[in-house]
């Protein structure tokens, strides 16, 4: 992965698949990223209590689309309705045109199919961090 971390970006990973969270954590931490991972959307909300303080921070959200309880699309819509525009990349094993349109309307920068190519993930995270830092 060819990311150039500046001031230790934080990537919030929300995915109910332990193996995905662990592999993404390993990959991102190997290039100097700080990773906070959660098994579901509600755990992210409860732990981070996302508020406007996330806006403008060097961070982004990497989340699964299909999770028990609150889906990735539901989480994006919740954040958008709360006025928390954290740059987000959605990962999914199953996609459709309507789901893609829904997550784009909710503010997702990209929807990547699992398993995502490392180069695609790297490119989208770099783009999300550039947006988060105002570049």
């Amino acid at each position: 992965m060819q990311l150039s971390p500046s001031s230790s970006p934080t990537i919030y990973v929300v995915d109910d698949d332990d193996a995905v969270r662990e592999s993404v954590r390993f990959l991102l931490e190997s290039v100097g990223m700080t990773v906070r991972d959660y098994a579901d959307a509600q755990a992210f909300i409860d732990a981070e209590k996302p508020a406007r303080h996330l806006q403008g921070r060097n961070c982004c959200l990497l989340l699964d689309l299909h999770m028990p309880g609150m889906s990735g699309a539901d989480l994006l819509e919740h954040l958008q309705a709360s006025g928390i525009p954290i740059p987000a990349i959605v990962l999914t094993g199953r996609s459709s045109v309507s789901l893609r349109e829904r997550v784009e309307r909710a503010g997702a920068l990209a929807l990547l199919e699992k398993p995502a190519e490392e180069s695609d993930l790297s490119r989208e995270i770099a783009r999300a961090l550039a947006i988060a830092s105002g570049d």
Side-chain angles (χ1 to χ4, degrees):
M1 183 171 269
Q2 302 281 332
L3 292 176
S4 299
S6 61
S7 70
S8 190
T10 301
I11 312 301
Y12 298 96
V13 179
V14 182
D15 196 308
D16 61 322
D17 186 323
D18 294 339
V20 170
R21 285 194 323 276
E22 289 172 18
S23 63
V24 169
R25 171 182 284 284
F26 175 78
L27 179 66
L28 297 176
E29 287 179 344
S30 74
V31 295
M33 303 287 163
T34 299
V35 177
R36 293 186 185 168
D37 62 277
Y38 303 95
D40 59 59
Q42 192 61 54
F44 168 75
I45 291 170
D46 292 345
E48 296 300 330
K49 298 182 182 21
R52 297 189 196 285
H53 75 275
L54 290 177
Q55 185 175 356
R57 286 192 55 207
N58 197 13
C59 65
C60 73
L61 182 62
L62 182 63
L63 73 152
D64 187 18
L65 184 57
H66 300 284
M67 295 181 286
M70 183 183 285
S71 73
D74 293 336
L75 176 58
L76 285 175
E77 290 167 347
H78 169 78
L79 294 171
Q80 187 179 56
S82 301
I84 305 164
I86 183 172
I89 301 149
V90 175
L91 297 172
T92 186
R94 320 182 292 273
S95 181
S96 68
V97 172
S98 62
L99 283 173
R100 183 173 295 276
E101 290 171 351
R102 181 179 176 198
V103 297
E104 286 173 356
R105 277 192 312 272
L109 298 176
L111 186 141
L112 300 176
E113 296 283 333
K114 287 181 182 177
E117 292 290 327
E118 187 177 311
S119 60
D120 294 336
L121 189 57
S122 174
R123 181 188 67 247
E124 295 303 335
I125 289 173
R127 185 166 72 110
L129 293 173
I131 289 169
S133 64
D135 292 343

